[in-house]
Amino acid sequence: MLRKACDAYDTKRVLVEGIAPSSELGPAEIVEAGKRTATVPNLWLAFHLENHTPTRTAALRADCGSRLLSETLMDKEFSVEHRGDHIRVELSPDFEVIPEHQEAFWNRLRVACDKHDTRRVLIEGFVPAGERTATEVMEAGQRTAAIPNLWLAFCLEDFVATETSELFEVVAASKGVRVKFFSETAHALSWLRNNAPS
């Protein structure tokens, strides 16, 4: 079923969400489950599960040919939480701007926005390391469309506005997403609260 879906949509990136199985898997079952992922060559799997047990995921990762991104890894790179009238995201110094992490990021953020019925998002933390090409920036701006009518306020340490950040704002705006960068959290929240619908 998964292989057919990947083939139909021409992708190898899969995000699995829900509740972790309540019963413990034995070593043989874990190895067998890992081997089954090989039915989809070059698969990238990201898990975001409630009641997640990292040791079980680590064992599974060791026995399969797929790339497995656990909830623990995603939590290490970024966190998403509801703060009353907005969603707050914190980017760690380890956050990487690579496709499989970006897809997991936007899917998780969309779930949080839908769950709490808000389109106000504050992103704090660190500027992702590395330089991005114009094409990569445009693709990142287009990904914001994953959440319609989104209002996105950035407040990142040591951020300096550049042509790249302006390009990101313009591309996002073309998708109906409002983006603005701030140096102070209070100003970012004020902008969200005064402009974005609750």
Side-chain angles (χ1 to χ4, degrees):
M1 181 177 175
L2 181 58
R3 184 177 69 247
K4 289 181 179 179
C6 288
D7 291 343
Y9 294 101
D10 191 26
T11 184
K12 301 297 184 184
R13 303 171 187 164
V14 176
L15 173 65
V16 179
E17 296 183 300
I19 301 174
S22 57
S23 59
E24 278 294 331
L25 297 177
E29 293 172 306
I30 291 173
V31 171
E32 185 61 30
K35 289 179 178 177
R36 287 197 191 102
T37 65
T39 60
V40 184
N42 303 313
L43 178 66
W44 288 80
L45 270 174
F47 285 86
H48 180 212
L49 304 175
E50 295 181 25
N51 305 321
H52 171 67
T53 304
T55 53
R56 191 186 312 159
T57 302
L60 180 60
R61 184 190 304 117
D63 286 291
C64 69
S66 307
R67 286 83 165 176
L68 215 62
L69 303 176
S70 71
E71 183 182 14
T72 303
L73 174 58
M74 290 193 287
D75 284 345
K76 180 183 176 185
E77 296 202 345
F78 67 90
S79 62
V80 179
E81 61 180 323
H82 181 231
R83 286 287 186 90
D85 63 352
H86 68 282
I87 300 296
R88 179 181 180 272
V89 177
E90 183 171 1
L91 304 182
S92 80
D94 297 320
F95 184 74
E96 294 182 278
V97 183
I98 56 178
E100 57 274 11
H101 290 193
Q102 286 289 292
E103 190 159 340
F105 174 89
W106 285 107
N107 282 331
R108 189 165 173 186
L109 184 56
R110 177 179 49 77
V111 168
C113 286
D114 290 345
K115 178 179 179 180
H116 299 288
D117 193 26
T118 184
R119 288 296 183 263
R120 298 173 180 170
V121 176
L122 171 66
I123 297 183
E124 296 185 292
F126 296 84
V127 177
E131 294 292 328
R132 264 130 328 253
T133 66
T135 299
E136 290 172 327
V137 173
M138 291 179 68
E139 290 176 349
Q142 291 169 353
R143 284 194 191 97
T144 62
I147 307 174
N149 305 313
L150 180 66
W151 288 73
L152 201 54
F154 285 89
C155 189
L156 305 176
E157 292 189 28
D158 301 322
F159 170 78
V160 177
T162 63
E163 292 182 356
T164 297
S165 58
E166 291 179 7
L167 175 60
F168 179 78
E169 289 184 34
V170 170
V171 174
S174 73
K175 299 297 181 180
V177 175
R178 285 80 166 178
V179 174
K180 195 167 183 179
F181 292 85
F182 297 86
S183 58
E184 295 183 18
T185 299
H187 293 165
L189 286 174
S190 178
W191 177 74
L192 285 174
R193 290 165 177 160
N194 292 333
N195 295 283
S198 59

